[in-house]
Amino acid sequence: MATRFPAVRRRGSGPRGRRTHGGLRTALAAAPACAVLLLTGCSADYDADDVRYAGDYGSHPPLAVVGYPSTGTLGITQQVVWRIADGKADALAALTDDEEAEAEAGKTAENWIAAFRKGAGGKVTAEFYDEGSYRQMVVLYLHDTGQIKAINVRPTSTGNKDLWRVGMKETDPAEATAVLPWLPKKPGELGSKTVR
């Protein structure tokens, strides 16, 4: 014996008397509207920095990674390498962790670009030392030129957004290109642990 459920009603009739229940036709008609809502609804979550980051990510060689990056330390390191490779001193200086030292950051950016631009445009490995929740030393290995560059990154707050920034106080070109004596010649040789 068949049981009938009175709360369930059939709606509409399709061609030649078939029942459609609003199924496939309704879904197909609603698909473009849902796509527009999805795209516009999601885009509000992204700001100009996110869009710029995505464009940079797609137009630069991938960064090889060794060690223990966080999302923030990896993101700022990629931006440093990209700005050096592109020769954009103002954009590189804008990544400083000390906005009050604008002149120092500008001179440091010029030094880094002059010294490392060729290598930053090729294959680069970034080794992230120690644990990166508060601050992190990152060592860049520029394979095409054989250069090594250490940078320090840390989180800062601007307005209502937490950002990672880089220390930029190397106004002397010799200081900008100096290599810490304990750094290995190849990434990973110390297990991404700082020698103390």
Side-chain angles (χ1 to χ4, degrees), residues 46-71:
Y46 296 100
D47 60 14
D49 289 337
D50 294 326
V51 172
R52 189 177 315 110
Y53 179 85
D56 281 332
Y57 187 87
S59 62
H60 291 89
L63 184 69
V65 174
V66 176
Y68 312 98
S70 67
T71 302

Side-chain angles (χ1 to χ4, degrees), residues 20 31 53 58 60 63 91 103 112 119 122 135 161 166 180 193 195:
T20 62
Y53 179 85
H60 291 89
L63 184 69
W112 288 2
R135 65 176 62 234
K161 193 171 185 181
V166 63
L180 298 171
K193 299 288 183 188
V195 173

Side-chain angles (χ1 to χ4, degrees), residues 60-145:
H60 291 89
L63 184 69
V65 174
V66 176
Y68 312 98
S70 67
T71 302
T73 60
L74 177 58
I76 188 67
T77 301
Q78 287 175 313
Q79 290 180 64
V80 168
V81 173
W82 297 336
R83 300 299 164 257
I84 293 172
D86 294 343
K88 295 183 176 179
D90 290 343
L92 178 58
L95 301 176
T96 184
D97 64 356
D98 186 358
E99 293 178 0
E100 294 179 9
E102 190 176 317
E104 284 183 331
K107 183 61 180 159
T108 300
E110 291 171 6
N111 290 339
W112 288 2
I113 289 169
F116 304 110
R117 184 173 184 182
K118 182 179 179 186
K123 182 180 177 188
V124 178
T125 298
E127 182 167 10
F128 294 80
Y129 276 81
D130 303 317
E131 186 270 330
S133 61
Y134 175 62
R135 65 176 62 234
Q136 196 159 39
M137 172 181 274
V138 184
V139 180
L140 303 173
Y141 291 88
L142 312 174
H143 298 282
D144 291 355
T145 58

